[in-house]
């Protein structure tokens, strides 16, 4: 079974962010993989696993229409380079930071949403 790579790339270029996001989710489900970029969690010390959720992950669900502004905000938040931040936006959904306090996670969420991104706390 052969496929035309150039045709697929042309179709992806014409797709909306929402369509691309749906495609990534479908591929993740079909092949049991994750498109999220690996992020090193700060403070990897083990806890006793209390009942209340004490750490939150910030996931960029979509870059939205302000993609360049979101990339710049990610660069400021993560300290990553522009290329890595662009890959994070293009590969959404992707984890921005892991293991944050609720206040820190909400602060990052607000910064990204102010630039047009869609963000989920997990």
């Amino acid at each position: 079974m052969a496929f035309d790579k150039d045709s697929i790339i042309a179709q992806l270029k014409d797709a909306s962010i929402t369509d691309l996001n749906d495609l990534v989710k479908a591929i993740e489900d079909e092949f049991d993989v994750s498109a999220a970029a690996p992020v090193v969690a700060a403070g990897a010390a083990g806890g006793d696993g209390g009942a209340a959720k004490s750490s939150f992950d910030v996931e960029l669900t979509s870059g939205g229409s302000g993609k360049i502004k979101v990339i710049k905000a990610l660069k400021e938040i993560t300290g990553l380079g522009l290329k890595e931040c662009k890959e994070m936006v293009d590969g959404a959904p992707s984890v921005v930071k892991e293991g944050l306090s609720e206040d820190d996670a909400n602060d990052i969420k607000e910064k990204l949403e102010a630039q047009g991104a869609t963000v989920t706390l997990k």
Side-chain angles (χ1 to χ4, degrees):
M1 176 172 117
F3 65 93
D4 183 7
K5 177 179 66 171
D6 294 330
S7 173
I8 293 171
I9 291 172
Q11 289 176 356
L12 291 175
K13 285 182 181 179
D14 293 336
S16 70
I17 295 292
T18 305
D19 290 339
L20 293 174
N21 189 36
D22 291 344
L23 175 64
V24 169
K25 287 179 183 177
I27 291 171
E28 288 177 331
D29 290 344
E30 178 69 26
F31 298 105
D32 194 28
V33 295
S34 174
V39 178
V40 177
D48 61 349
K53 185 163 174 119
S54 61
S55 70
F56 294 83
D57 298 343
V58 179
E59 179 183 81
L60 177 69
T61 308
S62 168
S65 60
K67 183 176 171 181
I68 293 173
K69 290 179 182 179
V70 173
I71 291 170
K72 288 180 181 179
L74 281 171
K75 185 176 184 310
E76 180 183 314
I77 292 165
T78 63
L80 296 172
L82 286 174
K83 179 183 178 204
E84 291 83 2
C85 293
K86 181 182 181 303
E87 289 172 354
M88 194 178 291
V89 171
D90 289 343
S94 53
V95 175
V96 175
K97 285 207 171 195
E98 295 177 317
L100 300 174
S101 69
E102 185 174 9
D103 290 339
D104 290 342
N106 280 321
D107 184 46
I108 290 173
K109 180 180 179 184
E110 288 174 14
K111 287 179 183 178
L112 291 171
E113 286 179 343
Q115 302 306 321
T118 304
V119 179
T120 305
L121 298 183
K122 293 188 173 194

